[in-house]
Structures are given as structure tokens and as C-alpha cells.
Amino acid sequence: MTARSVETTSGPDPTESREISAPRGADPVKLGIGIVGMVAVAWLVGNLFLAFAYYPEWFANSKILIGALALVAGVGGAYLFFLFLNMAVEGLPERMSEKATPYAYLFPGFGAIALMLLYPTIQTINYSFANADSTEYVGLQNYQDIFGSQEFRDSILNNVLWLLIVPAVTVAIGVVVAVLADKLTPQGEKIAKSVIFAPMAISFVGASAIWLLVYAFDTTGLLNAIWAAFGGDPVAWLNTSTARLNSILMMVILIWLQVGFAMILLSSAIKGVPEDTIEAARIDGATELQIFWQVVIPQIKGTIITVFITVLILVLKVFDIVYVLTNGNFKSNVIANLFFNRLFADDQAGQAAAIVVILLIAVLPVLWYQVRHFREEEAGR
Amino acid sequence: MSTTSANVTTATVEKKPSRRRRMSDGRPRSIFAIVVMVLLCLLWTMPTLGLLVTSFRTREDAASTGWWSALLNPITANWTTANYSGVFEGQDMGTGFINSLVVAIPATVIPIMFAAFAAYAFSFMDFRGKDLLFVSIVAVMVVPIQVAFAPMLDILGPRGLGISGQYISVWLLHTGFGMPLAIYTIRNYMATLPRTVIESAKIDGATHFQTFWKLIVPMSVPVIAAFAILQFLWVWNDLLIAKLFLNSGNATVIVQLQQLLGTQGQGAELLTAGAFVSMVLPMAVFFALQRYFVRGLTSGAVKG
């Protein structure tokens, strides 16, 4: 594989040239073709994609044709763009070329992030100080309004409950399932893991539809059937805000969706625990429970934290389940749903932006932790 | 009574391994594990089973009795496929299905192209600001996508380019939102590849562009496959972006399902069939490619 790729190489060898000949100079032709090519590809692909939107009749109004063309143009265009980008960079004098290549490779990816995540973040912070249709600055008015509203305080409380319950329960069930599945036969383990993992493929909306049949307010609901078996009358579960029952029932849906993910990561960590550490504990007379708590858990702590943080980030932004099941009524609102309603139902762009800023502040500790954790991991690599 | 409960607790059983039955590979059989796992598996499948059964019941039946009663008396129950035909004819979910495909496939493939190049630079090149730039990727992964809605509606909507409502706006947004995780995951995998391979290719005179395509991309197939599955599931199952940035003619199955969820009375029976239609493809993809997905997930995350 390497031998053939070498023969097709053009241009001087970068490592040898430094010792034998003088550094390669600029190649204006290559540079020129590269730049022109990049611009042309970007222009063509950009216009093609705009044409999909503006003139669908050019493509016989066919969704499939547009999708297929987009795929070909997207992948082919990206390939050609990088090809010309590479050519342009190689056309630079060698010293500059070596310095510019990494930035050239990063540019498209970072461009997308800058356009769709960084710029909007700054703009949202900006909007949070402006009025309902973002035409005039109003200072801290939006923040005063949202902190003054009972609904916002309820949402914060609910979000805190979601954050306290969902990640912890998900990790706990994930550990239990991973440990117990490890004790089954290989065949049994495979089937059990597939079953628990399967909900991961289901959308939040689909999961809500599934659990609506469990939580149905009349006797056709599974939960009411069980409740009736204990002598209870049918309850409209999702309307019951006593002890935040409806919120907790919606948390069950998210836990049901996420345990599989937790289990897969934890299971692979548990299988990585060296057998001799467990054997040594066993010889010392430790019970299975002692081995689990004092030998296995400390060795998979890193994975437990990774899973916990991943679920935590997901929970912070929980929206779909609440939106489709209660839309935040019956005291079950959460921040992401409140934001959605402020922005689109109430046309309060300023308050909506302020809510997102609060959400951003809420993720800052997680962000800080993530970065620190990453640095530790890199140091140990 | 006391003997049965003693058999069920692991701790008691583990003390006398000699008297227990063993599995074919010599490990002791754990009754406790079997019982709990069977119960959990039942608990995990029950809700989905209910949806599947209900989707084949008539509206009158579904409104009067629970789905389990149809399963217990399968002969007297009224089975029907009318919900499925209703979903395709009345709700036009066939179009929604195509929309979902047209949205999801380019939105899965395009970000991977961009991310792989960036990941290559982070893994095999040294440059100023590398550390800072990568840390910024780690940080941006946590930023909630809600920040983007109002500003991006300005750029893509009638006040800007006027392409909001079309597929392209959703492709664009998913490319941007998927990018940090894509770069992070692919880079973490590439960092485990032996650097000597790159060095020897360099000595043989290969440029970075050639090394990337001929060596690194083929070696990174497992992680690319894993991320592709994750991104496909995420785009297919997404409600927020599809709801906000697609017009009704381009609505995905998930948006259609969300609209069905608001239906009461007439048409409510279509919900279960619609939910099942929206789940079929991601489920199939997931089960067919589960092996790659699990391998990619665990290789990226379980290291430290």
C-alpha cells in the first residue's frame, strides 16, 4: 500500500530536500490554480445548493434527485475543495507551506463551528439585552422579567430535579445491568445487551408515543392497569404535579432511552478490570459485594464519570419529551421548553435569549470539568 | 422459604461455588443475574411491544381496553392494518419518510469529510495554537444548540438568505452542530494510530494529502462508521431543527409524528402506526451496524 502511493508522489521530498537542496521556493502556478479552484468549487457548490432551495423545478421537483445530487456535490465538492486547498498550500514557499497546511485542514470544520455555534452564541448574548423583536437594547430588563416569573423558577426547579435524578439513576442501572450481564452466558449476554441498548435508536418523540400508552389516563394505560390491580382508580398521571410526579414519569422515559448507552460503556470498562485483582480479593475472603464495591467500582470510576457527564449534558437540554407530552403544563416545564415557547409562541426573543444565556452559564461548570478531564487524559496518553 | 431466598442472593451463593452448576466456560451460573436480567429485559421491551400491538388494533378496541387484553385474546380481538394505510395515505408519511432520508444522508456524510481533515491535522501535525484550538472543540461540544436558533433563523430566514424551510438549511445546521463531536471522536481514534506509519510515509515522499487518503482514512474506518451511525440516528430522530427549519412539505417523519401526538379523537389511532413507521429505519440501521457502533463508542471513550 505504501509503496504504490510513493510512486505517484509529485514534488520534492520534504525531509530530504532540507538537507540536500535549498528549500523549495514558491510555485505561483500551483498557488494560482489552487486558489482559483477553491473559489470555483465553493462558488459552484454553493450556488447549486442555493438552486435546490430557490429553483426546485430545475430538478423536476424531485426530492430524491435533490438529495442524491446534494450528496454527490457535497462529498465531491468537499474532496475537490480540499484538493485545491492542498495545491494552493503546496504552491507556497516550503517553510510557509508547512506552517499553513494544518490551518488549511482545520479551516472548513472550524468555519462551520464558527458560523453555527460561536457567532450565534455571541449574537444570543447580545439579543438577551434587547427587546422582544431585537430592535432596541433594554439593559437587564429581560433578566429581571424571567427571574420575576414563577414559571421560570418552576422550570429551574424541575431542571434541577432532572439533573439530580436522571444521570445518577441511569449510571446506577447501567452498572447493575453491565455487571449482571457479565455473569450470563455469552449468548444470553448478547441478547440482553441488545434488548437494553435498542431504545437508543428511538427518537424522543417516538419514545413519548410509546410511553403515552403506559401513562394513558384511562384504564387502557398499563400503569393504570397495575394501579387498579392494587385497588386504585384511574389517574391522569401526566397531569399530576403532586410531588412532581409527572416530571418523574417523564424522567423514566429518558432513563429508559439512555441506560443502554451507559451499559455499553460501563460493560466494556468492567471487562477491562484485570482478573487477578478480583482473584486476589477473592482469595483474601472478600464477598462478591465487597469485591464489587472495593475492587471493581474504583477501577471503572473514570468511565462512570464520563457516562454521568454525557447524560448530564443531555438532561440540561431536555426538550422533546416535555414539549410533546405536557408542553410544560401542570408544573412540569423545563428550561429548554420554556425557551422554545418564549421564542416562538410568545414572540419574546429577548427573554428567550436571556433563558439561553442562563442555560449557557449552567453548562459552564460542566465545560470547565470537561476541559480539565481532557487535559488529564492527554497528559496520561 | 428460607432456602429459596438464600439461593437468590448472590453473596450467599458465591461462598459455595463447588455446589453450584457451572456454565460451559467454567464460570459459576448466577441464578440471581439470570432472574434480574430477564425481568429487566421484559421491562425494557414491554412499552415498545405495547406500541406494536396497539398499532394493529382498531380505534374502538384501543380506546376501550388495554393492548395486553388483545394479546391475551388474540382470536376475539379486532386486528387491522388500517392504521398503517391511514398513516401513508391520510398523513402522507411516505413523503415524510423520503424527506427524512434526504435530510439525514447528506447531513451524515458531509460533516465527516470536514471533520476527518481537521482530526488529521490535530493528530499528525504540529502547529501553533493546536492545544488551544482542540480545547475549544472540547468546550464547544457542551454548548446547547438552542443558542443558534434565533441568530440562524435571521441568517437563513426571509431576512437573510431566504433558504429556511429547505433541506439545505438543515444540512448546514447539522453539519455545524455535529462538527465538534465528529472532530473530537475521530481525532481521539486517530491519536491511537501508530505515528511511525505517518513518519515512514513522509520519508517515502508522500504528501499529507496522500497520506490522509491512502493511509489514515482506510485505517480510521471503524471510528468513521461509528460516528456515521451516531450522526444518522441523531439527525433522523431530531425534532427541534427539523421543526424550525423545514416547511411542511419537507417535514420529516419525526415532525409528522409530533403533530400526530397533538391529535385527539379522530385520527388518534394513527399515532401508534406512525410512531412505528418512524422507528423502523433507525432500528434496522442500529441492529445491522450495532457491532461497529459499540466498537467505536468504547474505543473512543474508555481509555482514561
Side-chain angles (χ1 to χ4, degrees):
Chain A
M1 181 162 66
T2 30
R4 198 172 307 151
S5 69
V6 172
E7 280 165 8
T8 56
T9 314
S10 62
D13 186 310
T15 42
E16 275 172 40
S17 62
R18 220 174 291 147
E19 295 151 25
I20 298 164
S21 59
R24 175 163 51 81
D27 185 342
V29 180
K30 245 184 164 178
L31 183 64
I33 295 177
I35 290 175
V36 172
M38 262 159 66
V39 173
V41 169
W43 186 84
L44 274 173
V45 174
N47 274 300
L48 180 66
F49 275 69
L50 283 180
F52 291 149
Y54 293 151
Y55 310 107
E57 64 273 12
W58 291 0
F59 308 96
N61 283 316
S62 164
K63 293 166 186 296
I64 296 173
L65 181 65
I66 290 179
L69 276 176
L71 191 62
V72 173
V75 174
Y79 178 83
L80 286 177
F81 185 80
F82 274 110
L83 189 74
F84 285 119
L85 185 70
N86 193 58
M87 197 183 273
V89 170
E90 279 179 5
L92 291 171
E94 188 172 338
R95 288 260 167 84
M96 268 172 84
S97 165
E98 271 180 22
K99 284 205 173 124
T101 312
Y103 300 108
Y105 282 17
L106 294 180
F107 169 70
F110 268 85
I113 292 173
L115 173 66
M116 273 161 291
L117 284 164
L118 297 183
Y119 157 74
T121 304
I122 294 161
Q123 185 70 302
T124 295
I125 295 171
N126 184 19
Y127 282 167
S128 76
F129 299 110
N131 62 0
D133 49 5
S134 315
T135 47
E136 209 179 308
Y137 284 107
V138 292
L140 291 170
Q141 188 60 45
N142 292 318
Y143 292 92
Q144 283 170 7
D145 286 346
I146 56 169
F147 278 108
S149 96
Q150 182 63 39
E151 209 182 357
F152 177 76
R153 291 197 296 262
D154 275 342
S155 304
I156 292 275
L157 176 65
N158 282 328
N159 258 85
V160 170
L161 280 178
W162 279 81
L163 288 171
L164 286 177
I165 295 173
V166 176
V169 174
T170 305
V171 169
I173 301 180
V175 171
V176 168
V177 172
V179 168
L180 293 183
D182 200 38
K183 294 188 187 299
L184 301 178
T185 59
Q187 194 62 30
E189 177 176 359
K190 214 177 138 195
I191 295 171
K193 279 182 168 176
S194 283
V195 167
I196 308 277
F197 200 23
M200 179 125 195
I202 300 175
S203 62
F204 292 130
V205 184
S208 304
I210 289 172
W211 283 83
L212 206 54
L213 289 168
V214 177
Y215 297 150
F217 59 89
D218 53 20
T219 49
T220 64
L222 189 60
L223 193 56
N224 267 327
I226 297 166
W227 184 242
F230 289 102
D233 289 323
V235 176
W237 299 103
L238 292 174
N239 299 1
T240 310
S241 62
T242 317
R244 306 277 167 169
L245 182 65
N246 47 6
S247 290
I248 291 168
L249 291 175
M250 288 193 282
M251 291 176 206
V252 170
I253 303 178
L254 192 58
I255 293 168
W256 178 74
L257 284 169
Q258 291 297 314
V259 162
F261 161 76
M263 173 222 31
I264 289 294
L265 291 189
L266 291 165
S267 168
S268 117
I270 286 172
K271 285 185 192 302
V273 172
E275 192 62 36
D276 45 347
T277 59
I278 296 171
E279 212 48 55
R282 210 167 266 154
I283 290 164
D284 289 346
T287 65
E288 283 298 300
L289 267 179
Q290 282 173 330
I291 291 175
F292 174 72
W293 282 109
Q294 290 164 23
V295 180
V296 177
I297 291 286
Q299 294 192 67
I300 61 168
K301 218 176 97 194
T303 310
I304 289 180
I305 293 172
T306 306
V307 172
F308 189 90
I309 296 282
T310 311
V311 180
L312 190 81
I313 295 168
L314 186 80
V315 172
L316 259 175
K317 299 181 270 190
V318 65
F319 164 76
D320 304 32
I321 297 174
V322 177
Y323 176 66
V324 299
L325 286 180
T326 65
N327 195 17
N329 293 316
F330 315 108
K331 291 189 173 175
S332 63
N333 219 352
V334 289
I335 297 207
N337 190 61
L338 184 69
F339 156 78
F340 188 87
N341 285 335
R342 278 286 185 278
L343 185 56
F344 298 106
D346 312 338
D347 279 322
Q348 289 287 345
Q351 287 186 26
I355 292 170
V356 181
V357 173
I358 305 285
L359 197 58
L360 265 176
I361 293 170
V363 300
L364 278 182
V366 185
L367 189 151
W368 175 79
Y369 177 82
Q370 284 279 82
V371 169
R372 213 191 57 163
H373 180 70
F374 166 75
R375 284 203 194 273
E376 278 168 11
E377 214 167 82
E378 284 305 290
R381 199 184 272 277
Chain B
M1 188 62 214
S2 61
T3 40
T4 32
S5 66
N7 269 330
V8 174
T9 49
T10 353
T12 331
V13 176
E14 289 295 335
K15 277 179 192 160
K16 310 163 189 158
S18 55
R19 281 169 57 192
R20 300 174 60 218
R21 293 180 59 196
R22 283 170 182 274
M23 300 189 295
S24 53
D25 56 359
R27 288 181 298 152
R29 185 190 297 270
S30 165
I31 305 290
F32 175 74
I34 294 173
V35 171
V36 174
M37 285 309 290
V38 167
L39 282 177
L40 274 176
C41 287
L42 279 178
L43 197 67
W44 243 251
T45 35
M46 198 70 85
T48 320
L49 181 70
L51 181 86
L52 183 62
V53 172
T54 310
S55 71
F56 289 106
R57 302 180 77 202
T58 60
R59 183 153 71 98
E60 293 73 27
D61 271 23
S64 55
T65 54
W67 56 268
W68 53 91
S69 63
L71 214 55
L72 295 174
N73 315 294
I75 299 149
T76 52
N78 297 311
W79 299 104
T80 176
T81 54
N83 299 335
Y84 284 92
S85 49
V87 154
F88 283 107
E89 284 153 22
Q91 299 296 320
D92 206 14
M93 261 205 171
T95 310
F97 203 86
I98 291 171
N99 286 334
S100 282
L101 274 177
V102 174
V103 164
I105 294 174
T108 302
V109 179
I110 295 171
I112 292 177
M113 287 284 285
F114 291 157
F117 270 100
Y120 177 89
F122 278 126
S123 310
F124 304 114
M125 294 171 171
D126 293 309
F127 52 91
R128 281 185 69 178
K130 174 174 165 175
D131 197 42
L132 186 71
L133 283 173
F134 198 71
V135 162
S136 75
I137 295 275
V138 177
V140 165
M141 279 200 300
V142 185
V143 170
I145 59 169
Q146 276 86 354
V147 297
F149 294 156
M152 288 314 285
L153 276 171
D154 286 347
I155 293 181
L156 302 174
R159 277 191 272 174
L161 286 168
I163 54 171
S164 174
Q166 306 297 335
Y167 299 125
I168 176 175
S169 52
V170 180
W171 292 329
L172 209 66
L173 288 168
H174 280 302
T175 300
F177 296 156
M179 193 63 64
L181 186 66
I183 296 178
Y184 180 76
T185 323
I186 298 175
R187 180 267 177 194
N188 273 359
Y189 185 88
M190 282 184 180
T192 64
L193 298 177
R195 231 182 149 142
T196 47
V197 178
I198 316 299
E199 298 297 336
S200 62
K202 200 174 167 189
I203 289 164
D204 289 342
T207 63
H208 279 301
F209 195 69
Q210 289 164 331
T211 315
F212 174 78
W213 283 110
K214 293 191 175 145
L215 284 175
I216 301 303
V217 168
M219 286 164 93
S220 304
V221 164
V223 73
I224 291 175
F227 179 78
I229 300 165
L230 190 70
Q231 174 80 353
F232 180 83
L233 291 177
W234 154 246
V235 175
W236 182 282
N237 287 336
D238 159 71
L239 170 69
L240 260 177
I241 298 168
K243 189 176 170 59
L244 293 178
F245 291 90
L246 287 175
N247 60 35
S248 55
N250 292 338
T252 62
V253 274
I254 299 298
V255 175
Q256 289 180 326
L257 183 63
Q258 179 258 317
Q259 285 155 355
L260 272 176
L261 267 164
T263 323
Q264 300 284 327
Q266 191 80 26
E269 75 278 11
L270 300 180
L271 173 66
T272 50
F276 213 76
V277 168
S278 80
M279 283 161 47
V280 167
L281 189 71
M283 278 283 195
V285 168
F286 186 73
F287 277 113
L289 305 173
Q290 196 180 14
R291 211 157 42 92
Y292 298 96
F293 187 52
V294 170
R295 206 200 292 157
L297 264 186
T298 47
S299 74
V302 189
K303 250 184 304 171

